[in-house]
Amino acid sequence: MNVAYEYDDPAHAGAAAPRAVRGVVLVVDDQPQMLALLSEVLGAAGYTVIAATDGPSALERARMITPDVVLLDARMPGMDGFEVCLRMNADASLVGVPVIFMTGLTESEHIVKGFRAGGADYVTKPVKPDEVCVRVEAHLKRAQAQRRADMVVNAGGRAAIIADDEGCVRWHSSRAAAYLQRYLDDAQTGTLPGALLRWLRQAEPSSRPYEIVHGQARLSIRLAGPAGADGWILTLVEFDDEASINDFVERFGLTLRQAEVLLWVSRGKTNRDIGEILDMKPRTVNKHLEHIFPKLGVETRAAAAATALQVIGP
C-alpha cells in the first residue's frame, strides 16, 4: 500500500520529517478559487492536498510524491486534463492511481473521452464538496484494496493477513482463515497474540520467520512488507514436520532419528537445543551429524541446513 506523508514543502520532501496521514490527493485546476476550496474541504477531511495549476506541474508533482487519488480539471489551457491522464497512465510509477475528472462538460462524448484516457470517475462543476469527499474516499479504499491484493500476489500467492500496529487483523485472505483458527486462538477475536505482535514490531522482511508448532505441523509467519503507515502484510505457510522427516528418510537414506536432527538443524537450532527437544545428549546429536553430512554430500552444518530447506522450503 502506498504510504502517504505530509511535508511542509513538497519540493523538498526528501529533507522533511514525514508524518503519516490519511492519504494524498493531487488537485489540478487552473482556477485558484477552486484549488482553495478543494484544499480546504479535503484538508478538513484529513487528506494532504498537493495543488497544481497546469498539466506539466501536475505530472512533475505526481512523480515527486505519488498521490493516492487525483482530482483533475478536464479543461485547462495548454495541456488539458485528458492529456495529463494519458501521460500518467503511460508512467509505470503512476499506473493505478485513480483519476477523478472535474468538468462542466456533461456531454457523453467528453465523459467517454475521460474514461478512455484512463479516468476512474468524474464530478461535474460546480463541484459539491460532500460529493467530492465521498468519491475520493471510495476510490482511495478501492485503490488500497487493489494494492493489498497486488502485494499478496507478489508474495507468491500464499495465505496472507494484514495487521495494524495494535495487532488487530484488518484483513485476511480466504486461505489464511483456517490457519488463524488452527494456530492463533486469539485471532478468532481479531487480535494477534502478544508474542507474535512483539516479534512483528521488531521484524524486517529479511528476518527469520516466526514459527508456531501445533502437533507435527508448524506455521511459518514472515513479514512481507508494510501496509500503510501503521500496519504490516504477513504471509503464512504451513509445514507438516512428519511429512518432512519422512521425505528426508526417503531422499537421503537417513534413519528416522537422523531425519529429526536434520529438521531442527534446518531451523537454526544448536546441538544443545536439539538435544533438549529430542531428549538426547548434545554429543549424540553431533554423532548423528557425522552420519548426516556424508549422506547429504555436504561438509558443514550450514550446507546441511540449506540442503534441507531446498526440500521443505524456508
Side-chain angles (χ1 to χ4, degrees):
M1 181 185 302
N2 182 50
V3 181
Y5 295 102
E6 184 177 38
Y7 298 90
D8 293 331
D9 180 1
H12 298 87
R19 67 179 178 85
V21 297
R22 182 178 182 182
V24 174
V25 181
L26 171 61
V27 180
V28 189
D29 199 297
D30 62 328
Q31 298 296 320
Q33 299 91 335
M34 182 60 65
L35 288 178
L37 171 64
L38 291 172
S39 295
E40 181 179 354
V41 169
L42 292 168
Y47 297 99
T48 288
V49 178
I50 306 172
T53 56
D54 56 58
S57 63
L59 291 170
E60 179 183 359
R61 293 176 187 185
R63 291 168 182 143
M64 184 185 304
I65 303 177
T66 305
D68 293 288
V69 179
V70 178
L71 276 171
L72 180 59
D73 186 14
R75 294 291 299 273
M76 294 185 295
M79 185 188 300
D80 64 17
F82 304 118
E83 180 63 23
V84 172
C85 191
L86 285 169
R87 295 196 184 192
M88 285 185 61
N89 280 283
D91 188 325
S93 67
L94 299 175
V95 170
V97 176
V99 175
I100 303 173
F101 278 105
M102 299 182 294
T103 178
L105 305 174
T106 56
E107 294 87 347
S108 61
E109 62 179 290
H110 294 117
I111 296 173
V112 170
K113 185 176 181 181
F115 284 118
R116 284 180 175 171
D121 203 351
Y122 74 96
V123 293
T124 57
K125 289 185 175 181
V127 299
K128 301 176 180 64
D130 290 344
E131 179 185 0
V132 169
C133 286
V134 168
R135 290 180 184 268
V136 166
E137 182 177 8
H139 286 286
L140 177 63
K141 288 181 178 179
R142 190 173 295 115
Q144 290 174 339
Q146 182 60 52
R147 281 193 289 269
R148 291 173 185 171
D150 290 342
M151 292 185 75
V152 171
V153 170
N154 291 337
R158 294 173 176 171
I161 64 174
I162 293 179
D164 64 20
D165 191 48
E166 298 302 318
C168 294
V169 179
R170 299 198 314 235
W171 174 91
H172 63 74
S173 66
S174 57
R175 191 175 175 186
Y179 295 158
L180 293 174
Q181 185 173 5
R182 190 179 312 148
Y183 290 91
L184 306 177
D185 293 336
D186 291 342
Q188 294 183 38
T189 63
T191 305
L192 299 181
L196 174 56
L197 181 58
R198 287 191 293 273
W199 169 85
L200 180 57
R201 287 173 171 168
Q202 300 178 3
E204 298 178 355
S206 59
S207 299
R208 289 185 64 85
Y210 182 92
E211 294 190 338
I212 303 174
V213 177
H214 182 72
Q216 287 294 317
R218 63 187 171 95
L219 186 69
S220 180
I221 303 174
R222 284 186 177 274
L223 174 62
D230 60 349
W232 300 277
I233 290 183
L234 305 175
T235 57
L236 292 71
V237 181
E238 185 178 40
F239 295 96
D240 185 334
D241 287 351
E242 184 175 6
S244 297
I245 291 170
N246 291 336
D247 204 356
F248 291 157
V249 171
E250 183 178 346
R251 285 174 181 257
F252 305 120
L254 303 179
T255 67
L256 187 61
R257 207 57 167 163
Q258 290 169 355
E260 291 175 338
V261 169
L262 179 59
L263 178 67
W264 290 104
V265 167
S266 72
R267 297 183 188 174
K269 299 298 184 181
T270 66
N271 284 4
R272 182 180 296 277
D273 293 334
I274 297 172
E276 292 178 357
I277 293 169
L278 299 180
D279 192 23
M280 63 175 68
K281 295 183 181 299
R283 189 184 329 163
T284 305
V285 175
N286 197 58
K287 285 290 184 182
H288 282 306
L289 289 175
E290 291 177 0
H291 293 285
I292 291 171
F293 289 175
K295 292 181 178 180
L296 268 60
V298 301
E299 297 182 355
T300 66
R301 189 186 197 91
T307 301
L309 289 174
Q310 288 177 356
V311 175
I312 62 176

